[in-house]
Amino acid sequence: MVRDNPVYDLKIEENEIENEVDEAKVSIVDIKNEVRVRGDILYSVDEVPRWYLCILLGIQQYLMMFGTTVAYSNLVTSKLCIQESGPARGYITSTIFFVSGLGTLIQSAFGTRLPIIQGSSFIFLAPIFATLSLPQWKCPSEEEMLSATEEELQEIWQIRMREIQGAIIGASIFEMIIGLTGVIGIILQWLTPLVIVPTISLVGLSLFEEATFKAGKNWGIAIITILLLVLFSQYLKNFNIPGCSYSRKRGWKIKQIPFFKLFPVFLTIVIAWVICFTLTAAGALGSTNSARTDLRVETIYYSPWFRFPYPGQWGLPTVSIGAVFGMLAGVLASVFESVGDYYACAQLASAPPLPPSAINRGIFAEGICCIVSGIWGSGGGMTSYSQNIAAIRITKVASRRVIQYGAVTMLIFAVLGKFGAFLNTIPEPIVGGITCVMFAMITGAGLSNVQFIDLHSSRNIFILGLSLFMGIAIPKWFKGHPDTIAIGNDVANQFITILLNTSVFLGGLIAFVLDNSIPAVESRKVCFVCFWMSIEKYQTFLFKAEH
């Protein structure tokens, strides 16, 4: 019989206690990780709310992109030489909503599989406008438009649309290749913040003429629109409106809804629209004033109740090399923007970090979405919407199924022909005011990357200033001298002219070449000095700590 050893028993008990403490620590770490991943999200990416909640929440997500989509449609249709009262404006608006729904389903099911919406981006407007500014695409005079038959009027804008369709399809093939081969990581190594700043900023800076042109048709209404948008999105964004919510467990409950933060653009358009309608009914606006709400009412009457957008509805797309390479600048800028949107969406949705394969799938799916948009003829490409990501942060709803329900809802609305025609009756000064703020936000988003640039370096300041200045100056000069390029080949003339008229491509190219060719000696010296300054501060901190 073996005697009990008190010392040995005590060691066993100590080991058991240590094991229990270790297990408790592991469980605490697991709980922390679970909280970190889940966050305060009401519905995670893989969770599925009830069907009626999916519909309501999905519509709410798409309301965030409502103003942007309407503004984009209005800008594109005005450049396609479509008559003010032509029902084609409503058809294109419905097509944009339709391809947005298709693109969202593709991205959420086969791409990143994140709750992110695909929609038309202002980034594509710069190369589109550069292409349509060529002499052969100049709109006919008013006399020619009045004397043209209905078939001729239709061909005038459809031939321009087919040119844009071919450019988008051709440039989107490059985007598919970038995502399929996984070279996005290699490209990002060469594209420093010094290249991204002028590329993104010039999207907004190059389009200021388009925004001010529409706003200038009635600056009074445009300024009211701008003030309303600033009021809702900045001053009242933290002001909540009490509302009711119901659940089986808790019953009815008073809930604070951040209404102004959710729908600033939507509220701005509705209120400004009502103001214009009131002024029109009161006779305060002239018969030809652009702020009147009855200038395009005929489009509602002439539009059918149901119209299903289909591939090739405007004819077979035409492809020209110059237009494709000009559009490629917009596609690359869209890729950079989407990569940032993917990471932001995953973080706000409390999803696990995205692996490189998910990023590649997302870019590949986005390329497919752009090709679908080109085939259907929406007048633009597709990209991820930042407004939708902001909605996830506010509503705490990150369910993939909610986004898919919203996409199906948009497909249904797009089939209603009167819906697109009704949206087309928004007065142009309202659209001008909205786009003034949105283009300013795009410019600010590009300039925000300056924080990652060493501005103590004269090299960096030189590259940044030259790329921004020349990105605006050269296209501005070529718009006034369209026949300057004449090297004996029509295709080459068109190719060079489009590139020199595209601010995004030109400014980004100048920054890319200079940043990767000029030695960064001064920036290294600055970093070296900063390094020694940090060491000195660290030594000072240690000295104070010891005493």
Side-chain angles (χ1 to χ4, degrees):
M1 184 175 179
V2 181
R3 292 178 56 186
D4 295 289
N5 190 342
V7 177
Y8 180 74
D9 293 340
L10 182 60
K11 289 182 178 180
I12 293 177
E13 291 179 359
E14 290 178 353
N15 292 334
E16 291 178 353
I17 293 174
E18 290 178 357
N19 292 334
E20 291 178 358
V21 171
D22 292 338
E23 291 177 357
K25 289 181 178 179
V26 171
S27 62
I28 292 174
V29 172
D30 292 339
I31 293 174
K32 289 183 177 180
N33 289 335
E34 183 178 355
V35 173
R36 178 182 60 82
V37 173
R38 174 72 187 221
D40 56 350
I41 293 295
L42 298 178
Y43 295 100
S44 63
V45 176
D46 296 323
E47 289 182 332
V48 181
R50 296 183 180 275
W51 65 269
Y52 53 87
L53 287 178
C54 287
I55 295 176
L56 294 177
L57 294 174
I59 294 176
Q60 177 180 249
Q61 291 282 351
Y62 266 89
L63 283 176
M64 295 292 291
M65 57 165 286
F66 175 82
T68 306
T69 303
V70 172
Y72 183 91
S73 172
N74 196 296
L75 290 172
V76 168
T77 52
S78 63
K79 286 293 184 178
L80 292 174
C81 309
I82 302 177
Q83 290 181 311
E84 291 289 333
S85 59
R89 290 176 176 264
Y91 300 161
I92 295 176
T93 302
S94 298
T95 302
I96 292 176
F97 278 99
F98 189 84
V99 298
S100 175
L102 285 179
T104 303
L105 292 176
I106 293 173
Q107 184 66 263
S108 61
F110 307 105
T112 58
R113 305 190 77 243
L114 288 172
I116 192 166
I117 291 176
Q118 301 293 297
S120 299
S121 173
F122 288 118
I123 290 179
F124 294 95
L125 287 180
I128 289 174
F129 289 172
T131 301
L132 296 179
S133 65
L134 295 176
Q136 62 266 34
W137 302 123
K138 184 179 179 180
C139 292
S141 62
E142 293 185 5
E143 293 77 11
E144 294 175 343
M145 296 286 285
L146 292 174
S147 60
T149 62
E150 186 176 350
E151 290 76 14
E152 291 174 344
L153 290 174
Q154 186 174 351
E155 182 62 20
I156 287 174
W157 71 265
Q158 287 188 359
I159 191 174
R160 290 164 174 77
M161 174 64 83
R162 292 195 291 267
E163 181 75 6
I164 299 303
Q165 289 180 252
I168 293 173
I169 294 173
S172 301
I173 294 176
F174 289 94
E175 186 174 10
M176 289 181 56
I177 295 174
I178 290 174
L180 187 62
T181 58
V183 300
I184 182 64
I186 301 175
I187 294 177
L188 291 178
Q189 293 177 0
W190 293 91
L191 297 173
T192 64
L194 196 54
V195 181
I196 294 175
V197 167
T199 302
I200 303 299
S201 300
L202 285 171
V203 173
L205 292 175
S206 63
L207 296 174
F208 77 94
E209 290 183 349
E210 305 300 331
T212 55
F213 174 75
K214 289 186 174 296
K217 292 186 176 182
N218 191 315
W219 272 111
I221 297 299
I223 291 176
I224 291 175
T225 303
I226 294 174
L227 292 177
L228 286 173
L229 186 54
V230 172
L231 176 66
F232 295 145
S233 64
Q234 301 301 322
Y235 291 99
L236 298 180
K237 63 180 180 180
N238 295 322
F239 183 79
N240 299 330
I241 296 178
C244 297
S245 63
Y246 176 79
S247 63
R248 292 184 177 180
K249 295 182 180 180
R250 300 180 180 179
W252 290 99
K253 181 181 178 182
I254 301 297
K255 183 179 180 181
Q256 298 296 324
I257 302 174
F259 195 72
F260 298 105
K261 186 182 291 186
L262 280 173
F263 312 113
V265 178
F266 179 75
L267 286 174
T268 300
I269 292 178
V270 171
I271 294 177
W273 206 349
V274 171
I275 293 175
C276 291
F277 177 79
T278 304
L279 294 175
T280 302
L285 300 175
S287 59
T288 59
N289 196 305
S290 297
R292 294 185 65 92
T293 56
D294 57 355
L295 295 179
R296 302 174 185 171
V297 175
E298 295 179 358
T299 60
I300 301 178
Y301 297 133
Y302 293 143
S303 298
W305 282 101
F306 298 98
R307 183 184 181 277
F308 189 85
Y310 56 92
Q313 55 186 333
W314 320 128
L316 187 65
T318 58
V319 180
S320 60
I321 298 177
V324 169
F325 276 90
M327 194 66 65
L328 185 60
V331 168
L332 292 178
S334 173
V335 168
F336 309 146
E337 181 185 18
S338 295
V339 171
D341 289 339
Y342 297 159
Y343 283 110
C345 183
Q347 181 180 5
L348 293 178
S350 296
L354 289 178
S357 58
I359 300 296
N360 295 330
R361 287 200 315 269
I363 299 301
F364 176 75
E366 196 166 300
I368 296 177
C369 295
C370 287
I371 292 178
V372 169
S373 180
I375 294 175
W376 256 261
S378 67
M382 306 289 288
T383 190
S384 300
Y385 260 23
S386 303
Q387 294 92 328
N388 155 241
I389 300 173
I392 293 176
R393 180 178 182 180
I394 297 170
T395 62
K396 308 300 180 184
V397 176
S399 173
R400 185 191 308 113
R401 190 59 57 85
V402 167
I403 299 298
Q404 293 173 344
Y405 266 74
V408 174
T409 304
M410 288 300 101
L411 293 176
I412 296 174
F413 279 133
V415 176
L416 302 177
K418 302 278 187 189
F419 173 74
F422 176 72
L423 296 179
N424 190 56
T425 61
I426 299 176
E428 287 189 325
I430 297 178
V431 178
I434 294 291
T435 50
C436 281
V437 178
M438 289 187 174
F439 290 163
M441 291 298 296
I442 294 175
T443 304
L447 294 176
S448 65
N449 292 283
V450 173
Q451 61 182 315
F452 304 110
I453 300 175
D454 181 15
L455 295 180
H456 295 283
S457 170
S458 60
R459 167 193 179 272
N460 294 344
I461 294 176
F462 171 79
I463 296 174
L464 182 61
L466 185 65
S467 59
L468 284 172
F469 183 83
M470 300 305 291
I472 297 175
I474 294 178
K476 179 67 175 179
W477 187 86
F478 271 96
K479 287 180 181 178
H481 304 79
D483 299 326
T484 303
I485 304 298
I487 59 177
N489 186 288
D490 293 337
V491 176
N493 291 341
Q494 181 181 1
F495 172 70
I496 297 174
T497 302
I498 291 177
L499 293 185
L500 293 178
N501 276 277
T502 307
S503 299
V504 178
F505 176 83
L506 195 60
L509 178 64
I510 293 174
F512 178 82
V513 173
L514 295 180
D515 188 37
N516 290 284
S517 60
I518 298 178
V521 177
E522 293 187 13
S523 61
R524 290 196 186 100
K525 288 182 179 179
V526 172
C527 293
F528 185 75
V529 173
C530 294
F531 172 76
W532 279 109
M533 289 177 62
S534 63
I535 292 296
E536 184 179 357
K537 290 181 179 179
Y538 179 70
Q539 290 176 347
T540 304
F541 172 77
L542 289 180
F543 178 80
K544 292 180 179 180
E546 290 177 358
H547 294 80

